[in-house]
Amino acid sequence: MGLPNVFKALSDPIRRDILIMLKKRGELSAGEIAAEFDISNATISYHLSLLKKADLIFENRQQKYIYYKLNVSVFEDIVLWCMQSVSYTHLRATRLA
């Protein structure tokens, strides 16, 4: 997981909507995801590839279909990183005061 890739992936509202959809509905095919948006399949494929590059989703190939599922561990890593960053900033600010 590279934080720049993660934050780039999270910066787009369509990608965030895809993640929310996967969280609510579980594993979905690319076609099921695409059916929820009024954009081309190529554009959905692009969004899915960025989410995959950021390790935010897993890909599971079954015959001619590709299914996607949320990678919860990356979100846990992000929360941990945020908590450590906040703790460090708070600790440093306390020492400077």
Side-chain angles (χ1 to χ4, degrees):
M1 170 196 73
L3 284 176
N5 288 340
V6 169
F7 288 121
K8 179 180 179 179
L10 293 174
S11 70
D12 186 271
I14 291 175
R15 291 191 288 270
R16 290 192 305 266
D17 287 345
I18 291 170
L19 293 171
I20 290 168
M21 187 185 319
L22 291 170
K23 179 183 179 280
K24 289 180 179 177
R25 295 173 49 191
E27 190 173 72
L28 295 171
S29 72
E32 290 170 317
I33 294 168
E36 299 294 322
F37 297 93
D38 190 24
I39 56 179
S40 72
N41 287 347
T43 303
I44 287 293
S45 180
Y46 170 75
H47 287 300
L48 290 170
S49 70
L50 286 178
L51 290 169
K52 189 176 152 199
K53 182 179 178 182
D55 291 327
L56 292 169
I57 59 175
F58 293 119
E59 178 182 278
N60 177 18
R61 294 178 182 265
Q62 295 180 11
Q63 297 171 357
K64 63 179 185 173
Y65 297 102
I66 302 174
Y67 292 89
Y68 296 91
K69 166 169 108 165
L70 200 60
N71 181 1
V72 178
S73 67
V74 172
F75 289 96
E76 292 168 349
D77 291 344
I78 294 168
V79 169
L80 180 61
W81 177 81
C82 289
M83 295 302 292
Q84 289 171 341
S85 296
V86 168
S87 296
Y88 174 77
T89 303
H90 177 71
L91 179 63
R92 186 166 178 211
T94 304
R95 287 184 180 168
L96 294 175

Coordinates of all heavy atoms in Angstrom, one line a residue:
M1 N 0.9 -1.2 0.0 CA 0.0 0.0 0.0 C 0.9 1.2 0.0 O 1.7 1.4 0.9 CB -0.9 0.0 1.2 CG -1.6 1.3 1.4 SD -2.4 1.6 3.0 CE -0.9 1.9 4.0
G2 N 0.7 2.1 -1.0 CA 1.4 3.4 -1.0 C 0.4 4.5 -0.7 O -0.6 4.5 -1.4
L3 N 0.6 5.3 0.3 CA -0.4 6.3 0.7 C -0.7 7.2 -0.5 O -1.9 7.6 -0.6 CB 0.1 7.0 1.9 CG 0.0 6.3 3.2 CD1 0.5 7.1 4.4 CD2 -1.5 5.9 3.5
P4 N 0.3 7.6 -1.3 CA -0.1 8.5 -2.4 C -1.1 7.8 -3.4 O -2.1 8.5 -3.8 CB 1.2 8.8 -3.2 CG 2.3 8.6 -2.1 CD 1.7 7.5 -1.2
N5 N -1.0 6.6 -3.6 CA -1.9 5.8 -4.5 C -3.3 5.7 -3.8 O -4.3 5.9 -4.4 CB -1.4 4.4 -4.8 CG -0.3 4.5 -5.8 OD1 -0.1 5.4 -6.6 ND2 0.5 3.4 -5.9
V6 N -3.3 5.5 -2.5 CA -4.5 5.4 -1.7 C -5.3 6.7 -1.8 O -6.5 6.8 -2.1 CB -4.3 5.0 -0.3 CG1 -5.5 5.1 0.6 CG2 -3.7 3.5 -0.3
F7 N -4.6 7.8 -1.5 CA -5.3 9.1 -1.4 C -5.7 9.6 -2.8 O -6.8 10.2 -3.0 CB -4.4 10.2 -0.7 CG -4.3 9.9 0.7 CD1 -3.1 9.7 1.4 CD2 -5.4 9.9 1.5 CE1 -3.0 9.5 2.7 CE2 -5.3 9.6 2.9 CZ -4.1 9.5 3.5
K8 N -4.9 9.2 -3.8 CA -5.4 9.5 -5.2 C -6.6 8.8 -5.5 O -7.6 9.3 -6.1 CB -4.3 9.2 -6.2 CG -4.7 9.4 -7.6 CD -3.6 9.1 -8.6 CE -4.1 9.4 -10.0 NZ -3.1 9.1 -11.1
A9 N -6.7 7.5 -5.2 CA -7.9 6.7 -5.4 C -9.1 7.2 -4.7 O -10.2 7.2 -5.2 CB -7.6 5.2 -5.1
L10 N -8.9 7.6 -3.5 CA -10.0 8.1 -2.6 C -10.4 9.5 -3.0 O -11.5 10.0 -2.6 CB -9.6 8.1 -1.2 CG -9.4 6.7 -0.5 CD1 -8.8 6.9 0.9 CD2 -10.6 5.9 -0.6
S11 N -9.7 10.2 -3.8 CA -10.0 11.6 -4.2 C -11.1 11.7 -5.2 O -11.7 12.8 -5.3 CB -8.7 12.3 -4.8 OG -8.5 11.8 -6.1
D12 N -11.5 10.7 -5.8 CA -12.6 10.7 -6.8 C -13.9 10.2 -6.2 O -14.0 9.1 -5.7 CB -12.2 9.9 -8.0 CG -13.2 10.0 -9.1 OD1 -14.2 9.3 -9.2 OD2 -13.0 10.9 -10.0
P13 N -15.0 11.0 -6.4 CA -16.3 10.6 -5.9 C -16.8 9.3 -6.4 O -17.5 8.5 -5.7 CB -17.2 11.7 -6.2 CG -16.6 12.6 -7.2 CD -15.1 12.3 -7.1
I14 N -16.6 9.0 -7.7 CA -17.0 7.7 -8.3 C -16.3 6.5 -7.6 O -16.9 5.5 -7.3 CB -16.8 7.7 -9.8 CG1 -17.8 8.7 -10.5 CG2 -17.1 6.3 -10.4 CD1 -17.6 8.8 -11.9
R15 N -15.0 6.7 -7.4 CA -14.3 5.6 -6.8 C -14.7 5.4 -5.3 O -14.9 4.3 -4.8 CB -12.8 5.8 -6.8 CG -12.3 5.7 -8.3 CD -10.8 5.7 -8.4 NE -10.1 7.0 -8.1 CZ -9.9 7.9 -9.1 NH1 -10.2 7.7 -10.3 NH2 -9.3 9.0 -8.7
R16 N -15.0 6.5 -4.6 CA -15.6 6.4 -3.3 C -16.9 5.7 -3.3 O -17.2 4.9 -2.4 CB -15.7 7.8 -2.6 CG -14.3 8.4 -2.3 CD -14.4 9.6 -1.4 NE -15.3 10.6 -1.9 CZ -14.8 11.7 -2.6 NH1 -13.6 11.8 -2.9 NH2 -15.7 12.6 -3.0
D17 N -17.8 6.0 -4.3 CA -19.1 5.4 -4.4 C -18.9 3.9 -4.7 O -19.7 3.0 -4.1 CB -19.9 6.0 -5.5 CG -20.4 7.4 -5.2 OD1 -20.4 7.7 -4.0 OD2 -20.9 8.1 -6.1
I18 N -17.9 3.5 -5.5 CA -17.7 2.1 -5.7 C -17.3 1.4 -4.4 O -17.8 0.3 -4.1 CB -16.6 1.9 -6.8 CG1 -17.1 2.4 -8.2 CG2 -16.1 0.4 -6.9 CD1 -16.0 2.4 -9.3
L19 N -16.4 2.0 -3.7 CA -16.0 1.4 -2.4 C -17.2 1.2 -1.4 O -17.3 0.2 -0.8 CB -14.9 2.3 -1.7 CG -13.6 2.3 -2.5 CD1 -12.6 3.3 -1.9 CD2 -12.9 0.9 -2.5
I20 N -18.0 2.2 -1.4 CA -19.2 2.2 -0.5 C -20.1 1.0 -1.0 O -20.7 0.3 -0.2 CB -20.0 3.5 -0.4 CG1 -19.1 4.5 0.3 CG2 -21.3 3.4 0.2 CD1 -19.6 6.0 0.2
M21 N -20.3 0.9 -2.3 CA -21.1 -0.1 -2.8 C -20.6 -1.5 -2.5 O -21.3 -2.4 -2.1 CB -21.2 0.0 -4.4 CG -22.1 -0.9 -5.1 SD -22.0 -0.8 -6.9 CE -21.9 0.9 -7.2
L22 N -19.3 -1.7 -2.6 CA -18.6 -3.0 -2.2 C -18.8 -3.2 -0.7 O -18.9 -4.4 -0.3 CB -17.2 -3.0 -2.7 CG -16.9 -3.0 -4.2 CD1 -15.5 -2.8 -4.5 CD2 -17.4 -4.3 -4.8
K23 N -18.7 -2.2 0.1 CA -18.9 -2.4 1.5 C -20.3 -2.9 1.8 O -20.5 -3.8 2.6 CB -18.6 -1.1 2.3 CG -18.7 -1.2 3.8 CD -18.5 0.2 4.4 CE -18.7 0.1 5.9 NZ -20.1 0.1 6.3
K24 N -21.3 -2.3 1.2 CA -22.6 -2.6 1.5 C -23.1 -3.9 0.9 O -23.8 -4.7 1.5 CB -23.6 -1.5 1.0 CG -23.5 -0.2 1.7 CD -24.4 0.8 1.1 CE -24.4 2.1 1.9 NZ -25.2 3.2 1.3
R25 N -22.6 -4.2 -0.3 CA -23.1 -5.4 -1.1 C -22.2 -6.5 -1.2 O -22.5 -7.6 -1.7 CB -23.6 -4.9 -2.5 CG -24.8 -3.9 -2.4 CD -25.2 -3.3 -3.6 NE -25.4 -4.2 -4.7 CZ -25.5 -3.8 -6.0 NH1 -25.5 -2.5 -6.3 NH2 -25.7 -4.7 -7.0
G26 N -20.9 -6.4 -0.8 CA -20.0 -7.4 -0.8 C -19.4 -7.6 -2.2 O -19.3 -6.6 -3.0
E27 N -19.0 -8.8 -2.6 CA -18.3 -9.0 -3.9 C -19.2 -8.8 -5.0 O -20.4 -9.3 -5.1 CB -17.8 -10.4 -3.9 CG -16.8 -10.7 -5.0 CD -16.2 -12.1 -4.9 OE1 -17.0 -13.1 -5.2 OE2 -15.0 -12.2 -4.6
L28 N -18.8 -7.9 -6.0 CA -19.6 -7.6 -7.2 C -18.7 -7.8 -8.4 O -17.5 -7.5 -8.4 CB -20.1 -6.2 -7.1 CG -21.0 -5.8 -6.0 CD1 -21.2 -4.3 -5.9 CD2 -22.4 -6.5 -6.2
S29 N -19.4 -8.1 -9.5 CA -18.7 -8.2 -10.8 C -18.5 -6.8 -11.4 O -19.2 -5.8 -11.0 CB -19.5 -9.0 -11.8 OG -20.7 -8.4 -12.2
A30 N -17.6 -6.6 -12.3 CA -17.4 -5.3 -13.0 C -18.7 -4.9 -13.6 O -19.1 -3.7 -13.6 CB -16.3 -5.4 -14.0
G31 N -19.5 -5.8 -14.2 CA -20.7 -5.4 -14.8 C -21.8 -4.9 -13.8 O -22.5 -4.0 -14.1
E32 N -21.8 -5.6 -12.7 CA -22.8 -5.1 -11.6 C -22.4 -3.7 -11.1 O -23.3 -2.9 -10.9 CB -22.8 -6.1 -10.5 CG -23.4 -7.4 -10.8 CD -23.2 -8.5 -9.7 OE1 -22.0 -8.6 -9.2 OE2 -24.1 -9.2 -9.4
I33 N -21.1 -3.5 -11.0 CA -20.7 -2.1 -10.6 C -21.0 -1.1 -11.7 O -21.6 -0.1 -11.4 CB -19.2 -2.1 -10.3 CG1 -18.9 -3.0 -9.1 CG2 -18.6 -0.7 -10.1 CD1 -17.4 -3.3 -8.9
A34 N -20.7 -1.4 -12.9 CA -20.9 -0.5 -14.1 C -22.4 -0.2 -14.2 O -22.7 0.9 -14.6 CB -20.4 -1.1 -15.3
A35 N -23.3 -1.1 -13.9 CA -24.7 -0.9 -14.1 C -25.2 0.2 -13.1 O -26.3 0.8 -13.4 CB -25.5 -2.2 -13.8
E36 N -24.5 0.5 -12.1 CA -24.9 1.5 -11.1 C -24.5 3.0 -11.6 O -24.9 3.9 -10.9 CB -24.3 1.2 -9.8 CG -24.8 -0.1 -9.2 CD -26.3 -0.1 -8.9 OE1 -26.8 0.9 -8.4 OE2 -26.9 -1.2 -9.1
F37 N -23.8 3.1 -12.6 CA -23.3 4.4 -13.0 C -23.6 4.7 -14.5 O -23.8 3.8 -15.3 CB -21.7 4.4 -12.9 CG -21.3 4.3 -11.5 CD1 -20.9 3.0 -11.0 CD2 -21.2 5.4 -10.6 CE1 -20.5 2.9 -9.7 CE2 -20.8 5.2 -9.3 CZ -20.4 4.0 -8.8
D38 N -23.8 5.9 -14.8 CA -24.1 6.4 -16.2 C -22.8 6.8 -16.9 O -22.6 7.9 -17.3 CB -25.1 7.5 -16.1 CG -25.6 7.8 -17.5 OD1 -25.6 6.9 -18.4 OD2 -26.1 9.0 -17.7
I39 N -21.8 5.9 -16.9 CA -20.5 6.1 -17.6 C -20.1 4.9 -18.3 O -20.7 3.8 -18.1 CB -19.4 6.6 -16.6 CG1 -19.2 5.5 -15.4 CG2 -19.7 7.9 -16.0 CD1 -18.1 5.9 -14.5
S40 N -19.2 5.0 -19.2 CA -18.8 3.8 -20.0 C -18.1 2.7 -19.2 O -17.5 3.0 -18.1 CB -17.8 4.3 -21.1 OG -16.6 4.6 -20.6
N41 N -18.1 1.5 -19.7 CA -17.4 0.4 -19.1 C -15.9 0.7 -19.0 O -15.3 0.2 -18.1 CB -17.7 -0.9 -19.9 CG -19.1 -1.4 -19.6 OD1 -19.8 -0.9 -18.8 ND2 -19.6 -2.3 -20.4
A42 N -15.4 1.3 -20.0 CA -14.0 1.6 -20.0 C -13.6 2.6 -18.9 O -12.6 2.4 -18.2 CB -13.6 2.3 -21.3
T43 N -14.5 3.5 -18.6 CA -14.3 4.4 -17.5 C -14.4 3.7 -16.1 O -13.5 3.9 -15.2 CB -15.3 5.6 -17.5 OG1 -15.1 6.3 -18.8 CG2 -15.0 6.6 -16.4
I44 N -15.3 2.8 -16.0 CA -15.4 2.0 -14.8 C -14.2 1.1 -14.6 O -13.6 1.0 -13.5 CB -16.7 1.1 -14.8 CG1 -18.0 1.9 -14.6 CG2 -16.6 0.0 -13.8 CD1 -18.1 2.5 -13.2
S45 N -13.7 0.6 -15.7 CA -12.5 -0.3 -15.7 C -11.3 0.6 -15.2 O -10.5 0.1 -14.4 CB -12.2 -0.8 -17.1 OG -11.1 -1.6 -17.1
Y46 N -11.2 1.8 -15.7 CA -10.1 2.7 -15.2 C -10.2 2.9 -13.7 O -9.2 2.8 -13.0 CB -10.2 4.0 -16.0 CG -9.3 5.1 -15.5 CD1 -8.0 5.1 -15.7 CD2 -9.8 6.1 -14.7 CE1 -7.1 6.0 -15.2 CE2 -9.0 7.1 -14.2 CZ -7.7 7.1 -14.4 OH -6.8 8.0 -13.9
H47 N -11.4 3.2 -13.2 CA -11.6 3.5 -11.8 C -11.3 2.2 -11.0 O -10.6 2.3 -10.0 CB -13.0 3.9 -11.5 CG -13.3 5.3 -11.9 ND1 -12.7 6.4 -11.4 CD2 -14.3 5.8 -12.8 CE1 -13.1 7.5 -12.0 NE2 -14.1 7.2 -12.8
L48 N -11.7 1.1 -11.5 CA -11.4 -0.2 -10.8 C -9.9 -0.4 -10.8 O -9.3 -0.9 -9.8 CB -12.1 -1.3 -11.4 CG -13.6 -1.3 -11.2 CD1 -14.3 -2.4 -12.0 CD2 -14.0 -1.5 -9.7
S49 N -9.2 -0.1 -11.8 CA -7.7 -0.3 -11.9 C -7.0 0.5 -10.9 O -6.0 0.1 -10.3 CB -7.2 -0.2 -13.3 OG -7.2 1.2 -13.7
L50 N -7.5 1.8 -10.7 CA -6.8 2.7 -9.7 C -7.1 2.2 -8.3 O -6.2 2.2 -7.5 CB -7.3 4.1 -9.9 CG -6.8 4.9 -11.1 CD1 -7.4 6.3 -11.2 CD2 -5.3 4.9 -11.1
L51 N -8.3 1.7 -8.1 CA -8.6 1.1 -6.7 C -7.8 -0.1 -6.5 O -7.3 -0.3 -5.4 CB -10.1 0.8 -6.6 CG -11.0 2.0 -6.6 CD1 -12.5 1.6 -6.8 CD2 -10.8 2.8 -5.3
K52 N -7.6 -0.9 -7.5 CA -6.8 -2.1 -7.4 C -5.3 -1.7 -7.2 O -4.6 -2.3 -6.3 CB -6.9 -3.0 -8.6 CG -6.3 -4.3 -8.5 CD -6.6 -5.2 -9.7 CE -5.5 -6.2 -9.9 NZ -5.5 -6.7 -11.2
K53 N -4.8 -0.8 -7.9 CA -3.4 -0.3 -7.8 C -3.1 0.2 -6.4 O -2.0 0.0 -5.8 CB -3.1 0.8 -8.8 CG -1.7 1.3 -8.8 CD -1.5 2.4 -9.8 CE -0.1 2.9 -9.8 NZ 0.1 4.0 -10.8
A54 N -4.1 0.8 -5.7 CA -4.0 1.3 -4.4 C -4.2 0.2 -3.3 O -4.2 0.5 -2.1 CB -5.0 2.5 -4.1
D55 N -4.5 -1.0 -3.8 CA -4.8 -2.2 -2.9 C -6.1 -2.0 -2.1 O -6.3 -2.6 -1.0 CB -3.6 -2.5 -2.0 CG -2.4 -3.0 -2.7 OD1 -2.6 -3.7 -3.7 OD2 -1.3 -2.8 -2.2
L56 N -7.0 -1.1 -2.6 CA -8.2 -0.9 -1.8 C -9.3 -2.0 -2.2 O -10.2 -2.1 -1.4 CB -8.8 0.5 -2.2 CG -8.0 1.6 -1.6 CD1 -8.4 3.0 -2.2 CD2 -8.0 1.7 -0.1
I57 N -9.1 -2.7 -3.3 CA -10.0 -3.8 -3.6 C -9.1 -5.0 -4.1 O -8.0 -4.9 -4.5 CB -10.9 -3.4 -4.8 CG1 -10.2 -3.0 -6.0 CG2 -11.9 -2.3 -4.3 CD1 -11.1 -2.7 -7.2
F58 N -9.8 -6.2 -3.9 CA -9.2 -7.4 -4.4 C -10.0 -7.8 -5.7 O -11.2 -7.5 -5.9 CB -9.5 -8.6 -3.5 CG -8.7 -8.5 -2.2 CD1 -9.4 -8.4 -1.0 CD2 -7.3 -8.4 -2.2 CE1 -8.7 -8.3 0.2 CE2 -6.6 -8.4 -1.0 CZ -7.3 -8.3 0.2
E59 N -9.3 -8.5 -6.6 CA -9.9 -8.9 -7.8 C -9.9 -10.5 -7.8 O -8.9 -11.1 -7.4 CB -9.0 -8.4 -9.0 CG -9.4 -8.9 -10.4 CD -8.5 -8.4 -11.4 OE1 -8.6 -7.2 -11.8 OE2 -7.6 -9.2 -11.8
N60 N -11.0 -11.0 -8.2 CA -11.2 -12.5 -8.2 C -11.7 -12.9 -9.6 O -12.9 -12.5 -9.9 CB -12.1 -12.9 -7.1 CG -12.4 -14.4 -7.1 OD1 -11.7 -15.2 -7.7 ND2 -13.5 -14.8 -6.4
R61 N -11.0 -13.6 -10.4 CA -11.4 -14.0 -11.7 C -12.1 -15.3 -11.7 O -11.5 -16.3 -11.1 CB -10.2 -14.0 -12.7 CG -9.6 -12.7 -13.0 CD -8.4 -12.8 -13.9 NE -7.8 -11.5 -14.1 CZ -8.1 -10.7 -15.1 NH1 -9.0 -11.1 -16.0 NH2 -7.6 -9.5 -15.2
Q62 N -13.3 -15.4 -12.2 CA -14.1 -16.6 -12.3 C -14.6 -16.8 -13.7 O -15.5 -16.0 -14.1 CB -15.2 -16.6 -11.3 CG -14.8 -16.6 -9.8 CD -15.9 -16.6 -8.9 OE1 -17.1 -16.8 -9.3 NE2 -15.7 -16.3 -7.6
Q63 N -14.0 -17.7 -14.4 CA -14.3 -17.9 -15.8 C -14.1 -16.6 -16.6 O -13.0 -16.1 -16.5 CB -15.6 -18.5 -16.0 CG -15.8 -19.9 -15.4 CD -17.2 -20.4 -15.3 OE1 -18.1 -19.8 -15.8 NE2 -17.3 -21.6 -14.9
K64 N -15.1 -16.1 -17.2 CA -14.9 -14.9 -18.0 C -15.3 -13.6 -17.2 O -15.3 -12.5 -17.8 CB -15.7 -14.9 -19.3 CG -17.2 -15.0 -19.1 CD -17.9 -15.1 -20.5 CE -19.4 -15.1 -20.3 NZ -20.1 -14.9 -21.6
Y65 N -15.6 -13.7 -15.9 CA -16.0 -12.6 -15.1 C -14.9 -12.2 -14.1 O -14.2 -13.1 -13.7 CB -17.3 -12.9 -14.4 CG -18.5 -13.1 -15.3 CD1 -18.9 -14.4 -15.6 CD2 -19.1 -12.1 -16.0 CE1 -20.0 -14.6 -16.5 CE2 -20.2 -12.3 -16.8 CZ -20.6 -13.6 -17.1 OH -21.6 -13.8 -17.9
I66 N -14.9 -10.9 -13.8 CA -14.0 -10.5 -12.7 C -14.9 -9.9 -11.6 O -15.7 -9.0 -11.9 CB -13.0 -9.4 -13.3 CG1 -12.2 -9.9 -14.4 CG2 -12.1 -8.9 -12.1 CD1 -11.3 -8.9 -15.1
Y67 N -14.6 -10.4 -10.4 CA -15.4 -9.9 -9.2 C -14.4 -9.1 -8.4 O -13.2 -9.4 -8.3 CB -15.9 -11.1 -8.5 CG -17.0 -11.8 -9.2 CD1 -16.7 -12.8 -10.1 CD2 -18.4 -11.4 -9.1 CE1 -17.7 -13.5 -10.8 CE2 -19.4 -12.0 -9.8 CZ -19.1 -13.1 -10.6 OH -20.1 -13.7 -11.3
Y68 N -15.0 -8.1 -7.7 CA -14.2 -7.2 -6.9 C -14.8 -7.2 -5.5 O -16.0 -7.3 -5.3 CB -14.2 -5.7 -7.5 CG -13.6 -5.7 -8.8 CD1 -14.3 -5.8 -10.0 CD2 -12.2 -5.5 -8.9 CE1 -13.7 -5.8 -11.2 CE2 -11.6 -5.4 -10.1 CZ -12.3 -5.6 -11.3 OH -11.7 -5.6 -12.5
K69 N -13.9 -7.0 -4.5 CA -14.2 -7.1 -3.1 C -13.3 -6.1 -2.4 O -12.2 -5.8 -2.7 CB -14.1 -8.5 -2.6 CG -14.0 -8.7 -1.2 CD -14.1 -10.2 -0.9 CE -12.8 -10.7 -0.4 NZ -12.9 -12.0 0.2
L70 N -13.9 -5.5 -1.3 CA -13.2 -4.5 -0.5 C -12.0 -5.1 0.2 O -12.2 -6.2 0.8 CB -14.2 -3.8 0.4 CG -13.8 -2.5 1.1 CD1 -13.7 -1.4 0.0 CD2 -15.0 -2.1 2.0
N71 N -10.9 -4.4 0.2 CA -9.7 -4.9 1.1 C -9.7 -4.1 2.3 O -9.2 -3.0 2.4 CB -8.4 -4.7 0.3 CG -7.2 -5.1 1.1 OD1 -7.3 -5.6 2.2 ND2 -6.1 -4.9 0.5
V72 N -10.3 -4.6 3.4 CA -10.6 -3.9 4.6 C -9.2 -3.6 5.3 O -9.1 -2.6 6.0 CB -11.5 -4.7 5.6 CG1 -11.7 -4.1 6.9 CG2 -12.8 -5.0 4.9
S73 N -8.2 -4.5 5.2 CA -7.0 -4.3 5.9 C -6.3 -2.9 5.5 O -5.6 -2.3 6.3 CB -6.0 -5.4 5.6 OG -5.6 -5.5 4.3
V74 N -6.4 -2.5 4.3 CA -5.8 -1.2 3.9 C -6.5 -0.1 4.6 O -5.8 0.9 5.1 CB -5.9 -1.0 2.3 CG1 -5.5 0.4 2.0 CG2 -5.1 -2.0 1.6
F75 N -7.8 -0.1 4.8 CA -8.5 0.9 5.6 C -8.1 0.9 7.0 O -7.9 2.0 7.6 CB -10.0 0.7 5.4 CG -10.5 1.1 4.1 CD1 -10.7 0.1 3.1 CD2 -10.7 2.4 3.7 CE1 -11.1 0.4 1.8 CE2 -11.2 2.7 2.4 CZ -11.4 1.7 1.5
E76 N -7.8 -0.3 7.6 CA -7.3 -0.4 8.9 C -5.9 0.3 9.0 O -5.6 1.0 10.0 CB -7.2 -1.8 9.4 CG -8.6 -2.4 9.6 CD -8.6 -4.0 9.7 OE1 -7.5 -4.6 9.5 OE2 -9.6 -4.5 10.0
D77 N -5.1 0.1 8.0 CA -3.7 0.7 8.0 C -3.8 2.2 7.9 O -3.1 2.9 8.5 CB -2.9 0.1 6.8 CG -2.5 -1.3 6.9 OD1 -2.6 -1.8 8.1 OD2 -2.1 -1.9 5.9
I78 N -4.8 2.7 7.1 CA -5.0 4.1 6.9 C -5.4 4.8 8.3 O -4.8 5.8 8.7 CB -6.0 4.5 5.8 CG1 -5.5 4.0 4.5 CG2 -6.3 5.9 5.8 CD1 -6.5 4.0 3.4
V79 N -6.3 4.1 8.9 CA -6.8 4.6 10.2 C -5.6 4.6 11.2 O -5.4 5.6 12.0 CB -8.0 3.8 10.8 CG1 -8.3 4.1 12.2 CG2 -9.2 4.0 9.9
L80 N -4.9 3.6 11.3 CA -3.7 3.5 12.2 C -2.7 4.6 11.9 O -2.2 5.3 12.8 CB -3.0 2.1 12.0 CG -1.8 1.9 12.9 CD1 -2.2 2.0 14.4 CD2 -1.2 0.5 12.6
W81 N -2.4 4.8 10.6 CA -1.5 5.9 10.2 C -2.0 7.2 10.6 O -1.3 8.1 11.2 CB -1.3 5.8 8.7 CG -0.4 7.0 8.2 CD1 0.9 7.0 8.2 CD2 -0.8 8.2 7.6 NE1 1.4 8.2 7.7 CE2 0.3 9.0 7.3 CE3 -2.1 8.7 7.4 CZ2 0.2 10.2 6.8 CZ3 -2.2 10.0 6.8 CH2 -1.0 10.7 6.5
C82 N -3.3 7.5 10.4 CA -3.9 8.7 10.8 C -3.9 8.9 12.3 O -3.5 10.0 12.8 CB -5.4 8.8 10.4 SG -5.6 9.0 8.6
M83 N -4.1 7.9 13.1 CA -4.1 8.0 14.5 C -2.7 8.2 15.0 O -2.4 9.1 15.9 CB -4.6 6.7 15.2 CG -6.1 6.4 14.9 SD -7.2 7.8 15.5 CE -6.9 7.6 17.3
Q84 N -1.7 7.6 14.4 CA -0.3 7.8 14.8 C 0.1 9.2 14.4 O 0.8 9.9 15.2 CB 0.6 6.8 14.1 CG 0.5 5.4 14.6 CD 1.2 4.4 13.8 OE1 1.6 4.6 12.7 NE2 1.5 3.2 14.4
S85 N -0.3 9.7 13.3 CA 0.0 11.1 12.9 C -0.6 12.1 13.8 O 0.1 13.1 14.2 CB -0.5 11.4 11.4 OG 0.2 10.5 10.5
V86 N -1.9 11.9 14.2 CA -2.5 12.8 15.1 C -1.8 12.8 16.5 O -1.6 13.8 17.1 CB -4.0 12.5 15.2 CG1 -4.7 13.2 16.4 CG2 -4.7 12.8 13.9
S87 N -1.5 11.6 16.9 CA -0.8 11.5 18.2 C 0.5 12.2 18.2 O 0.9 12.9 19.2 CB -0.7 10.0 18.6 OG -1.9 9.4 18.8
Y88 N 1.3 12.0 17.1 CA 2.6 12.6 17.0 C 2.4 14.2 17.0 O 3.2 14.9 17.7 CB 3.3 12.1 15.8 CG 4.6 12.9 15.5 CD1 5.7 12.6 16.3 CD2 4.7 13.9 14.5 CE1 6.9 13.3 16.1 CE2 5.9 14.6 14.3 CZ 7.0 14.2 15.1 OH 8.1 14.9 14.9
T89 N 1.5 14.7 16.2 CA 1.3 16.1 16.1 C 0.8 16.7 17.5 O 1.3 17.7 17.9 CB 0.2 16.4 15.0 OG1 0.6 15.8 13.8 CG2 0.0 17.9 14.9
H90 N -0.1 16.0 18.1 CA -0.5 16.4 19.5 C 0.6 16.4 20.5 O 0.8 17.4 21.2 CB -1.7 15.5 19.9 CG -2.2 15.9 21.3 ND1 -2.9 17.0 21.6 CD2 -2.0 15.2 22.5 CE1 -3.2 17.1 22.8 NE2 -2.7 16.0 23.4
L91 N 1.4 15.3 20.5 CA 2.5 15.2 21.4 C 3.5 16.4 21.1 O 4.0 17.0 22.1 CB 3.2 13.9 21.2 CG 4.4 13.6 22.1 CD1 4.0 13.6 23.6 CD2 5.0 12.2 21.8
R92 N 3.8 16.6 19.9 CA 4.8 17.7 19.5 C 4.2 19.0 19.9 O 5.0 19.9 20.5 CB 5.1 17.6 18.1 CG 6.2 18.5 17.7 CD 6.7 18.3 16.3 NE 7.7 19.3 16.0 CZ 7.9 19.7 14.8 NH1 7.3 19.3 13.8 NH2 8.9 20.7 14.7
A93 N 3.0 19.3 19.7 CA 2.4 20.6 20.0 C 2.4 20.8 21.6 O 2.6 21.9 22.1 CB 0.9 20.6 19.5
T94 N 2.1 19.7 22.3 CA 2.1 19.7 23.8 C 3.5 20.1 24.3 O 3.7 20.9 25.2 CB 1.7 18.4 24.3 OG1 0.4 18.1 23.8 CG2 1.6 18.5 25.8
R95 N 4.5 19.5 23.7 CA 5.9 19.8 24.1 C 6.3 21.2 23.8 O 7.1 21.8 24.5 CB 6.9 18.8 23.4 CG 6.8 17.4 24.0 CD 7.8 16.5 23.4 NE 7.7 15.2 23.9 CZ 8.3 14.1 23.4 NH1 9.1 14.3 22.4 NH2 8.1 13.0 24.0
L96 N 5.8 21.8 22.7 CA 6.2 23.1 22.3 C 5.5 24.2 23.1 O 5.9 25.3 23.2 CB 5.9 23.3 20.8 CG 6.8 22.5 19.9 CD1 6.3 22.7 18.4 CD2 8.3 22.9 20.0
A97 N 4.4 23.8 23.7 CA 3.5 24.8 24.5 C 4.1 25.1 25.8 O 5.0 24.5 26.4 CB 2.1 24.2 24.7

